[in-house]
Amino acid sequence: MTSHSSSPLPLTAHASGPLTGTVTVPGDKSISHRALIFGALAAGTTSITGLLEGEDVLCTAAAMRQLGATVVKNEDGSWQVTGNGISALAEPEQVLDMGNSGTAARLLMGLVAACPFTTFFAGDASLHKRPMGRVRLPLEEMGALITSRSGGRFPLAVTGRELMSIDYELPVASAQVKSAILLAALDTPGLTRVTEPKPTRDHTENMLRHFGATVTVTDLDTGGRVIEYEGQQELTAADITVPGDPSSAAFMVVAAAILPGSDVTITNVGLNPLRDGLFITLKEMGADIKILNKRDQAGEPVGDLHVRGSALQGITVPPERAPTMIDEFPVLFVTATFATGKTVMRGLEELRVKESDRIASMAAGLTACGATLEEFEDGLIIDGDGAPPEGGGRIETHLDHRIAMSFLVMGLGAKNPVTVDDGRVMETSFPGFANLLRRLGGDIREEDAS
Ligand code: S3P
């Protein structure tokens, strides 16, 4: 499923004039994975409009087919998924290839933990480094058997059983772990309770409700949340319209915010309050962002973002906001190099176990582009003088789509061109990224300027 077997495709972003125009970004990655999974579990046919056709989501589509669901793309671009209930899932013939996708890997490990067969999982070099113990522990507590490489890493095999419900407190704020447990709980008798220390994206809970199930969510005085699900409820097919991914819109928003004179509208962006931390943070830094036309779409808030270029100031980002913008820190780090003063971004240890160690990858690239920064185990402090950074770096992307996109955005505003060593990695979440920026006036070329 991964595209990384052919030769790398270096891309270079050059200083660009103001960005102008209106664009729509591809569908939300988190919602797209879940739409395919729940569509395959519900009885009947679910139509999905706006599905993200990035490599990560296509891994989930292929896996659901291997597990026995019918997943087809229609001529009009929509997708149809037909399932027969969770107990109808079948043993996959092949190893499930999760490519670069931690979400596909962790959610599907949870799903098959309740299925009476063994499922083998593998992925790319990035996924093979990522911690799976966080999913393995609760699933084993429920009764599943998991055999993995050392440290709980991929490749691994999950042997499903009749599980027992659990009452589990997440050791890390992770929507993927929460979702793995909820998926394992679907066909498990009794009440499963997950307590999260800080609220994380709630697309799984929203989608369960959308498919007719009851989920109880209680806010705690500590700021955390308790999610309760009574197993063996019936899921009924329900059509889904996937909103544009706020994590993809983030790159367009920052590009417009840092380039003086820009005037860009991004339509149909998902604005789930557990995903909008970057937009709040950018506004606190002085960005000119307006939300227009706010509406509800299949249980998720959606709106259009109107962004104009403006001067930005450094701020301290509250650590408790991190889960609502966890994927947006790479591009916020870039933003901070354009701001005046210090931007303090701490409490981000989770960034060290994403598609790459995003603190290390970003610190190395930003330093190569002349930024002034201090690196900590849990984040960065970046000091800007309000002038564009030098740029000129050649960036190692480490199989990490968000590192590639962040540095291409930086190159549009930096004094010298910025080159990323491999633009193909962006296919995992944002097919057409470079073309969309070009349509707004961004100068991105297939060349190696180093
Ligand atoms: C995701 C949850 C987040 C996020 C990832 C998608 C999801 O990971 O970084 O890109 O769809 O549940 P964690 O839950 O591990 O923080």
Side-chain angles (χ1 to χ4, degrees), residues 19-301:
L19 300 186
T20 52
T22 299
V23 286
T24 307
V25 293
D28 188 278
K29 182 154 71 71
S30 293
I31 297 176
S32 294
H33 283 296
R34 288 160 173 83
L36 289 168
I37 295 171
F38 282 104
L41 299 179
T45 297
T46 291
S47 284
I48 309 170
T49 311
L51 187 85
L52 169 65
E53 295 178 10
E55 286 177 353
D56 277 14
V57 174
L58 297 179
C59 285
T60 292
M64 296 322 295
R65 281 193 195 106
Q66 279 221 53
L67 285 161
T70 307
V71 182
V72 287
K73 184 176 175 183
N74 298 321
E75 272 180 16
D76 66 1
S78 66
W79 288 66
Q80 272 192 346
V81 189
T82 308
N84 280 315
I86 180 165
S87 44
L89 292 182
E91 181 182 58
E93 270 192 34
Q94 306 288 338
V95 175
L96 299 189
D97 179 4
M98 302 285 92
N100 190 247
S101 179
T103 308
R106 296 189 176 117
L107 267 54
L108 293 181
M109 282 172 68
L111 176 63
V112 300
C115 297
F117 46 75
T118 297
T119 307
F120 294 87
F121 288 91
D124 72 2
S126 154
L127 192 58
H128 283 206
K129 287 186 199 151
R130 298 184 68 184
M132 295 297 158
R134 53 181 59 195
V135 191
R136 178 184 181 153
L137 277 175
L139 295 179
E140 284 183 338
E141 201 175 304
M142 293 176 85
L145 188 72
I146 298 178
T147 312
S148 74
R149 274 195 321 138
S150 60
R153 287 167 306 152
F154 262 36
L156 55 73
V158 179
T159 301
R161 305 259 181 87
E162 268 188 33
L163 303 180
M164 291 165 302
S165 60
I166 50 167
D167 183 346
Y168 194 76
E169 187 164 340
L170 298 181
V172 283
S174 168
Q176 293 178 352
V177 181
K178 169 177 66 176
S179 302
I181 298 169
L182 290 173
L183 282 161
L186 289 182
D187 206 21
T188 300
L191 187 76
T192 291
R193 181 181 295 129
V194 184
T195 303
E196 44 183 11
K198 293 177 194 154
T200 65
R201 65 189 70 192
D202 57 358
H203 305 301
T204 299
E205 297 91 307
N206 293 344
M207 207 160 284
L208 278 166
R209 293 195 188 99
H210 188 66
F211 281 85
T214 302
V215 194
T216 311
V217 178
T218 312
D219 290 320
L220 300 174
D221 294 342
T222 53
R225 272 189 179 177
V226 179
I227 297 102
E228 291 174 312
Y229 187 79
E230 183 69 42
Q232 301 184 313
Q233 299 183 47
E234 197 132 320
L235 299 178
T236 314
D239 294 349
I240 294 169
T241 302
V242 182
D245 197 326
S247 300
S248 297
F251 298 101
M252 305 292 146
V253 170
V254 167
I258 61 174
L259 291 175
S262 292
D263 190 329
V264 169
T265 301
I266 306 136
T267 58
N268 197 39
V269 181
L271 294 172
N272 182 309
L274 292 165
R275 299 283 301 280
D276 66 356
L278 176 77
F279 307 135
I280 293 168
T281 303
L282 290 175
K283 281 189 192 172
E284 288 174 1
M285 295 176 81
D288 180 354
I289 303 173
K290 293 200 173 54
I291 295 170
L292 312 169
N293 200 12
K294 205 162 173 189
R295 56 205 184 270
D296 197 81
Q297 202 173 272
E300 295 279 349

